[in-house]
Amino acid sequence: MVKVENVHKYFGPLHVLKGVHLEVEPQEVVVLLGASGSGKSTLLRCLNFLEIADEGKIWLDGQFIDPVKTDLNRVRTDIGMVFQHFNLFPHMSVLENVIEAPVHVKKVPREEARENALSLLRKVGLEDKKDVYPDALSGGQKQRVAIARSLAMNPRVMLFDEPTSALDPELVGEVLQVMKELVEDSMTMVVVTHEIGFAREVADRVVFMDDGQIVEEAEPEQFFAQPQHPKAQQFLSRVL
Ligand code: ADP
Ligand code: MG
């Protein structure tokens, strides 16, 4: 579903991704771990072309994405992304937030987008909040709306960048629950998270980054029991 080959990214003199290789199979759930500053967010942003890699190649669903020749806005609609901060439109109701991109970017007829949005809001348990504004929601509810909004574009892959890091602890579970339901629906997902319990339970594979490179990949059971790379050992001794 996703293939990344030798991706490099620089910010000025700073070499942030140093030759990343990654493949994600259809329906696979990959949890991406690594210390702060190791390049996790930059890698996700390269995967949905919010950042353009300076070197290397990316394929989506078997198709090579040439950032110069491809309509990246079109590509981005296939890749849902959920951030730590929810980035909902504050001046729009929950329902309007969810139908905005399908209607304006994908040109889905409004009534069809509305029906789909209502079913997604039901899925994340927020159908009764469809007419309220984001300000009236808790952080967990906002994040569930953000997930519904991403799903409204019918993406092939969902990327999550620390989706629960900004939440009060008692609100983390409801967001992880929605993500687990996506896993059950066979969504292909790449998730940056510090929720080790979630990683253990749902990841097919854990990928550990250090200093702009993937230095270890393993099944969660293996990774958490016996991390091989010294930096992975160090990381786990801090978070476990
Ligand atoms: P992580 O998500 O693993 O914490 P990031 O991908 O956010 O790491 O950042 C990796 C490195 O790149 C950090 O040193 C960070 O300061 C730097 N960086 C990230 N985005 C930018 C940017 N837009 N401009 C300059 N430096 C950046
Ligand atoms: Mg980050």
Side-chain angles (χ1 to χ4, degrees), residues 10-12 14-17 34-43 45 51 161-162 192 209:
Y10 297 82
F11 291 114
L14 197 61
H15 195 181
V16 172
L17 296 179
S36 175
S38 57
K40 306 178 299 293
S41 295
T42 305
L43 177 57
R45 293 170 64 83
E51 301 282 358
D161 194 355
E162 303 199 29
V192 176
M209 275 185 89

Side-chain angles (χ1 to χ4, degrees), residues 17-54:
L17 296 179
K18 301 177 178 174
V20 173
H21 298 264
L22 178 67
E23 289 190 38
V24 183
E25 300 296 326
Q27 310 189 354
E28 194 179 19
V29 178
V30 170
V31 165
L32 184 56
L33 298 178
S36 175
S38 57
K40 306 178 299 293
S41 295
T42 305
L43 177 57
L44 288 193
R45 293 170 64 83
C46 285
L47 285 181
N48 86 341
F49 299 91
L50 286 172
E51 301 282 358
I52 305 300
D54 294 305

Side-chain angles (χ1 to χ4, degrees), residues 127-142:
E127 201 185 11
D128 60 329
K129 299 288 186 190
K130 66 182 168 56
D131 295 322
V132 311
Y133 285 79
D135 261 356
L137 299 176
S138 72
Q141 291 171 331
K142 282 182 201 166

Side-chain angles (χ1 to χ4, degrees), residues 81-96:
M81 183 135 172
V82 174
F83 302 90
Q84 182 173 350
H85 296 285
F86 333 105
N87 308 353
L88 297 178
F89 305 117
H91 57 292
M92 291 183 188
S93 72
V94 162
L95 185 67
E96 288 164 344

Side-chain angles (χ1 to χ4, degrees), residues 208-222:
F208 181 79
M209 275 185 89
D210 178 56
D211 194 22
Q213 284 182 317
I214 291 172
V215 297
E216 186 163 345
E217 286 189 49
E219 289 186 3
E221 212 172 310
Q222 167 77 24

